[in-house]
Structures are given as structure tokens and as C-alpha cells.
């Protein structure tokens, strides 16, 4: 069994607490590692190390900072097989998705490194004679990156790479459910000769480590991905110091299937967007609205597709589409959502609780028909492989239903009509809309939610600028000087 140490100021160190957190393989419920339960004092040490290191790091030319990022990306590529299996073991990912996450992470780091020569300011016209106004972009300082468990390896890079290339330093706190990949990432960082203190990794309870990261006055920005409840708490803690927050929270993505849609494509892509990572993705399709004219055909085909979903133990079985849910609480939550939906009148067409395995947190791909807009299963994020379906009469009603939600991260529509596409693009109130394709964002885009789905965003130019302050310089000069 692996036993990890904290990574503080360029060194792997034991926690003074002496306490360890057990990490469980969700496929078989076995303990696979232990990670330190850090103290408030150790969290402060990590922040202090990042704070001191940032003073020199920001003075290094961005192109030199980029070289370190590329070394880290190369180190990940060299260890891709090991990292893939770590992800499969601790998070329950199937092999193909774990491989995709590792490969996408390296490409993402390289992409962010390429911004080294593209961090630009502006020259602004002045209202005064003999004056120039310059707008500079400057690093914020210390970034706290608080990670989820569903894409734990990629989210390290999503927070670290833009932070470092823009001259910030970072303290990363992984989820206690999936910390192993983060420690392996830290080993690669250590081998890259990145200056001490630029990257720090600390594990522990959210009530200890997370609260200190969010409330410490030396932290300039908190970048968090997780639940609305945790995000709200982080926002409240950060408000004490008016610390900037960037929050990606929950989602309840609507998928609208119009009567002119290619039904086979809609079924294929919506299924992909529902069962990916066992439904544990903020941007995957969480509810389907299908036009009443094609509802019977769509529901029949979707039920067959979901029923055929292959699932199993990721490290033992190949050609599977799903692994287990992350933990027992997640399994119980999904079971509760489905039971309450059925009690409210939903019809279970396929799926439901599973007893295929004696151990592990498995749940079958599930389809629920006869759902209505007011049901909990339509309004609240399930975070499991459950697809509730509602029918609608026209586009007005579909858009109204789609927007009737406290979340606003991603959405999708299936239609061949350009007018419908454009109207949906203008009227669906979500940060992203996908047309006739699966729900998956591009690294050069901008992944950002509306309403309770978050504040700020990630990826591309606009995501990079989340990690920058602006500094405006006014220069008055005298043309009469001899």
C-alpha cells in the first residue's frame, strides 16, 4: 500500500499531525493508499512558501516559465501508463477515459505554455495632451487550487498551468477521494527542477486545509471546482480578505431534441454525454427534452442504448463504458434520486440499483420517462448515470424548460434547422451550448457557468486572464522641455 508525504517548498515531508487519510478503490472498496491529514500550520507553511517564491517567479520572463511547464508535460508523457492506472484505481475511470485525461492534460499544459509570448496589455488614448496611458497585465500572487475528484489529474493542470505561466505560484489541495494522482504529479514537478515553493501540494480535511486556503490573507485567488454548497462556503471565507474567487460549481445540462433532429445521432451523443465517467461530470447531459412528435422513437432507442451500456471493474475488464461511482455516499445519493422520482410518477424504463458485484459502488445506466418539469430529478444535479426525459410541444416550451433551473453551465440542442439553432443560441441561458454533438469543451474555448454554476471560468484566452490583475500607468511628459 502506498503512503504519501506532503509536498511543501520543494520537499516531500511528513505531516506533524501523524494522522493519515485512507484512500479507497471504489471498484472493490479496498484501501489502496494513505495520505497525510495536514494541519493549519502546515497549510500556512505551504502558503508562505508560495508567497515567498512568487516574488522571484514573476520576475522570470514568461518564456522561461514556459520551459518549466513543458518539462512537466514531458514528465507526464513519460509516466503516462502509470498515471493512467493510478486514475483507474482511485477514481474508477475506465482505461480509455483515463488515458484521454492524461493525454489531454499534457496537451493543456503545452497549450498554456504557448501563451508566454501572448500575454498582452493595451495602449489607451488619453483625454489630456502629452500623456500616454498603458494597461499592463500582472500576476495576482498566490493561487489556491482546490480540486474535485471526477477529473482530478486534469484539474491540477487547469489551475496550475495558467497560474504559473502568468507569474503566480500555487498551493494545490486535491480531493481526499483521489489524491494519489496529485502526489505522482508532484513527483514529476520535483524532477522538473521547478523552483522551490512555486508548486505546493497539501492534503487534508476541507474544514482545516480548505478553510485556511480560502481565508488566508496571503492568498490572492482561490480557484475551486466542486459543489455549490462548498463553493458558497469558500466564497464567504474569501470575502474576509476580498480575495478573488473563480468557481466552477454544479450543472444540470438540458439536451433539447427537436422533431427534425437526427434521432440516431441524438441518442448516440446524449448517451455519451450521460454515461461518461459514470455520469459524474458537471457538463454532461443531465435532462432531456424531446419533441412530442419524435418522443416515442427517441425514448425507445435511448432505452435500448442505455440498457446496452457495459460496465465493470476498470482494472480487470476491457471494452466497458462505465466503472463505479466514486464512493458509498454517491451511490446512496443516486439511488435516492431515482426512488423519489419513481415515487413522484416517473417510469423506470431500464437501469436502477444493481447487485452484479458484491463490492464496489456500481449503478446501472438508467432511463426515466414520464418526468415533469417540477420533479426533483429534473431540477437537481444527480451526478450519476441517470437520464430523465420530459416531452415538449414547441421550441418556446423547450427553451422555457431548459432555462428553468438554478444552474447554467452547459446545454445542447439537436436540430437541422439553422433558425432554431440560432434562436436557441440566443435564448438558452447557459455558458456553453453544443449543437448536434456531445458535451465536451475545447481547451481554447472558455468554460464558464451562469447562475449557481459559478463565477469566472477556465481555458483559452479568457481563462488565462482570470489569473491576471491589471495595472494602468499614466505618463505625462513635457514637450516644451529643452
Amino acid at each position: 500500500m502506498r503512503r504519501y508525504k506532503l509536498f511543501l517548498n520543494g520537499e516531500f515531508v511528513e505531516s506533524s499531525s501523524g494522522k493519515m487519510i485512507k484512500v479507497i478503490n471504489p471498484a472493490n472498496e479496498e484501501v489502496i493508499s494513505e495520505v497525510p491529514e495536514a494541519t493549519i500550520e502546515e497549510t500556512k507553511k505551504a502558503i508562505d512558501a508560495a508567497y515567498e517564491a512568487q516574488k522571484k517567479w514573476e520576475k522570470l520572463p514568461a518564456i522561461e516559465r514556459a520551459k518549466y511547464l513543458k518539462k512537466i508535460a514531458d514528465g507526464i508523457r513519460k509516466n503516462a501508463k502509470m498515471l493512467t492506472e493510478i486514475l483507474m484505481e482511485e477514481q474508477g475511470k475506465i482505461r480509455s477515459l483515463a488515458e484521454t485525461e492524461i493525454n489531454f492534460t499534457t496537451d493543456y499544459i503545452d497549450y498554456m505554455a504557448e501563451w508566454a509570448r501572448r500575454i498582452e496589455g493595451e495602449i489607451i488614448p488619453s483625454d489630456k495632451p502629452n500623456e500616454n496611458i498603458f494597461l499592463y497585465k500582472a500576476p495576482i500572487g498566490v493561487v489556491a487550487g482546490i480540486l474535485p475528484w471526477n477529473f482530478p489529474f486534469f484539474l491540477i493542470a487547469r489551475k496550475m498551468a495558467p497560474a504559473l505561466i502568468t507569474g503566480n505560484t500555487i498551493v494545490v489541495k486535491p480531493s481526499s477521494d483521489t489524491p494519489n494522482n496529485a502526489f505522482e504529479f508532484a513527483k514529476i514537478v520535483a524532477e522538473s527542477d521547478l523552483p522551490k515553493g512555486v508548486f505546493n501540494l497539501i492534503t487534508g480535511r476541507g474544514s482545516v486545509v480548505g478553510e485556511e486556503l480560502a481565508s488566508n490573507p496571503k492568498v490572492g485567488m482561490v480557484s475551486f471546482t466542486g459543489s455549490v454548497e462548498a463553493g458558497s462556503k469558500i466564497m464567504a471565507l474569501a470575502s474576509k480578505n476580498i480575495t478573488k474567487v473563480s468557481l466552477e460549481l454544479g450543472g444540470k445540462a438540458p439536451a433539447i431534441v427537436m422533431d427534425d433532429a437526427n434521432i440516431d445521432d441524438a441518442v448516440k451523443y446524449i448517451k455519451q454525454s450521460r454515461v461518461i465517467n459514470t455520469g459524474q461530470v458537471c457538463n454532461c447531459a443531465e435532462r432531456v427534452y424531446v419533441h412530442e412528435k419524435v418522443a416515442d422513437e427517441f425514448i425507445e432507442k435511448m432505452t435500448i442504448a442505455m440498457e446496452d451500456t457495459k460496465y465493470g471493474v476498470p482494472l480487470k475488464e476491457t471494452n466497458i463504458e462505465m466503472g463505479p461511482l466514486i464512493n458509498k455516499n454517491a451511490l446512496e445519493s443516486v439511488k435516492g434520486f431515482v426512488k423519489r422520482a419513481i415515487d413522484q410518477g416517473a417510469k423506470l424504463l431500464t437501469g436502477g440499483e444493481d447487485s452484479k458485484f458484491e463490492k464496489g459502488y456500481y449503478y446501472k445506466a438508467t432511463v426515466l420517462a414520464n418526468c415533469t418539469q417540477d420533479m426533483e430529478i429534473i431540477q437537481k444535479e444527480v451526478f450519476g448515470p441517470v437520464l430523465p426525459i420530459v416531452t415538449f410541444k414547441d421550441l418556446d416550451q423547450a427553451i422555457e424548460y431548459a432555462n428553468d433551473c438554478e444552474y447554467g453551465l452547459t446545454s445542447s440542442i439537436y436540430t437541422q434547422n439553422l433558425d432554431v439553432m440560432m434562436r436557441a443560441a440566443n435564448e438558452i441561458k447557459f455558458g456553453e451550448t453544443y449543437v448536434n454533438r456531445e458535451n465536451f469543451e475545447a481547451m481554447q474555448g472558455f468554460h464558464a457557468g451562469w447562475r449557481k454554476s459559478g463565477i469566472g471560468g477556465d481555458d483559452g484566452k479568457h481563462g488565462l486572464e482570470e489569473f491576471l490583475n491589471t495595472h494602468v500607468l499614466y505618463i505625462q511628459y513635457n514637450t516644451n522641455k529643452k
Side-chain angles (χ1 to χ4, degrees):
M1 182 174 68
R2 293 181 292 274
R3 192 174 189 276
Y4 290 104
K5 298 178 182 180
L6 304 173
F7 187 64
L8 306 182
N9 201 25
E11 304 290 338
F12 288 98
V13 296
E14 297 280 3
S15 172
S16 60
S17 73
K19 298 178 181 178
M20 302 295 285
I21 299 169
K22 296 183 185 301
V23 181
I24 307 296
N25 181 340
N28 56 24
E29 302 179 47
E30 294 179 0
V31 177
I32 54 177
S33 71
E34 291 183 338
V35 301
E37 186 174 324
T39 63
I40 290 178
E41 290 72 24
E42 287 160 342
T43 308
K44 289 179 178 178
K45 285 182 180 178
I47 295 168
D48 288 345
Y51 185 82
E52 292 302 318
Q54 197 272 330
K55 296 173 185 178
K56 291 184 178 180
W57 181 249
E58 72 169 318
K59 294 178 181 178
L60 198 65
I63 196 66
E64 295 298 319
R65 298 195 292 262
K67 291 178 182 178
Y68 287 104
L69 288 179
K70 289 181 177 294
K71 284 183 182 179
I72 292 169
D74 288 343
I76 294 170
R77 289 188 179 95
K78 291 174 184 176
N79 292 277
K81 185 176 185 297
M82 176 271 292
L83 292 167
T84 294
E85 294 184 351
I86 289 280
L87 269 182
M88 294 171 68
E89 182 182 47
E90 68 177 335
Q91 202 265 317
K93 266 190 173 61
I94 62 172
R95 183 172 296 277
S96 61
L97 186 58
E99 289 174 343
T100 297
E101 182 170 349
I102 300 302
N103 293 333
F104 192 81
T105 298
T106 59
D107 290 345
Y108 191 90
I109 295 173
D110 281 341
Y111 168 76
M112 282 297 170
E114 291 166 1
W115 277 94
R117 292 190 174 99
R118 297 177 175 88
I119 302 170
E120 300 175 344
E122 300 175 23
I123 300 174
I124 303 170
S126 175
D127 293 341
K128 294 183 177 182
N130 306 329
E131 182 176 75
N132 287 334
I133 303 174
F134 302 97
L135 185 148
Y136 292 87
K137 298 294 178 70
I140 292 173
V142 176
V143 173
I146 303 178
L147 310 181
W149 47 260
N150 58 340
F151 285 91
F153 195 76
F154 168 60
L155 266 293
I156 302 173
R158 192 179 236 176
K159 299 181 189 304
M160 179 211 73
L164 267 55
I165 197 63
T166 49
N168 303 285
T169 54
I170 194 166
V171 180
V172 169
K173 179 199 175 300
S175 166
S176 295
D177 284 311
T178 54
N180 296 352
N181 70 92
F183 283 103
E184 298 299 335
F185 188 101
K187 291 178 183 178
I188 293 169
V189 169
E191 293 172 359
S192 73
D193 295 324
L194 186 74
K196 291 184 177 182
V198 172
F199 176 91
N200 304 272
L201 178 67
I202 191 161
T203 46
R205 304 296 175 187
S207 58
V208 177
V209 175
E211 289 193 10
E212 182 60 31
L213 289 173
S215 61
N216 191 293
K218 289 183 178 178
V219 172
M221 173 181 172
V222 182
S223 179
F224 169 79
T225 303
S227 69
V228 172
E229 293 75 19
S232 297
K233 191 169 186 179
I234 285 170
M235 196 171 179
L237 290 165
S239 70
K240 297 176 183 179
N241 298 303
I242 319 298
T243 300
K244 180 177 182 177
V245 294
S246 179
L247 309 174
E248 186 201 337
L249 308 177
K252 190 69 181 175
I256 299 172
V257 182
M258 298 300 296
D259 55 348
D260 68 333
N262 182 316
I263 299 301
D264 291 335
D265 281 352
V267 168
K268 178 176 70 173
Y269 291 132
I270 292 172
K271 177 189 171 177
Q272 287 178 7
S273 299
R274 183 64 258 159
V275 305
I276 182 175
N277 209 32
T278 319
Q280 301 169 121
V281 188
C282 294
N283 66 350
C284 64
E286 272 262 353
R287 51 193 167 122
V288 175
Y289 298 104
V290 57
H291 196 288
E292 60 186 13
K293 289 183 180 178
V294 294
D296 289 345
E297 179 187 0
F298 176 85
I299 291 171
E300 180 183 358
K301 289 182 175 180
M302 178 58 75
T303 301
I304 292 170
M306 292 285 274
E307 193 168 12
D308 287 343
T309 302
K310 297 178 178 63
Y311 65 100
V313 182
L315 283 171
K316 291 184 178 180
E317 299 180 60
T318 58
N319 299 320
I320 56 174
E321 299 168 84
M322 294 197 313
L325 293 162
I326 187 62
N327 55 35
K328 185 176 181 180
N329 288 341
L331 177 59
E332 292 303 318
S333 175
V334 172
K335 287 162 60 175
F337 269 108
V338 173
K339 182 181 183 304
R340 291 189 295 274
I342 293 171
D343 290 344
Q344 291 177 334
K347 183 179 180 181
L348 178 67
L349 299 182
T350 188
E353 189 175 353
D354 183 42
S355 57
K356 177 179 176 181
F357 301 103
E358 292 183 5
K359 290 188 175 182
Y361 311 116
Y362 297 93
Y363 199 85
K364 291 180 180 178
T366 298
V367 176
L368 294 168
N370 294 352
C371 296
T372 56
Q373 185 64 16
D374 60 342
M375 287 183 178
E376 177 196 45
I377 199 81
I378 294 296
Q379 294 292 331
K380 299 295 182 181
E381 187 174 31
V382 178
F383 231 55
V386 178
L387 191 67
I389 300 175
V390 177
T391 60
F392 66 86
K393 295 182 179 180
D394 54 35
L395 183 59
D396 286 337
Q397 188 177 49
I399 291 174
E400 179 184 353
Y401 282 170
N403 290 336
D404 177 27
C405 179
E406 63 183 4
Y407 299 105
L409 188 57
T410 70
S411 56
S412 62
I413 186 165
Y414 296 84
T415 180
Q416 304 302 313
N417 188 317
L418 181 61
D419 292 339
V420 171
M421 290 180 197
M422 295 311 300
R423 188 177 161 203
N426 288 324
E427 296 184 25
I428 294 176
K429 306 301 182 183
F430 286 74
E432 296 172 9
T433 300
Y434 303 96
V435 180
N436 298 329
R437 57 159 284 186
E438 76 286 355
N439 294 28
F440 195 84
E441 69 272 17
M443 66 178 72
Q444 67 271 32
F446 185 52
H447 185 59
W450 297 16
R451 297 186 291 279
K452 287 189 178 180
S453 285
I455 292 173
D458 299 291
D459 309 335
K461 171 185 175 181
H462 299 287
L464 185 84
E465 290 184 344
E466 292 287 332
F467 293 83
L468 289 164
N469 281 326
T470 57
H471 179 196
V472 179
L473 176 66
Y474 296 83
I475 298 180
Q476 186 84 44
Y477 59 94
N478 186 354
T479 59
N480 296 321
K481 186 175 180 181
K482 295 182 180 179

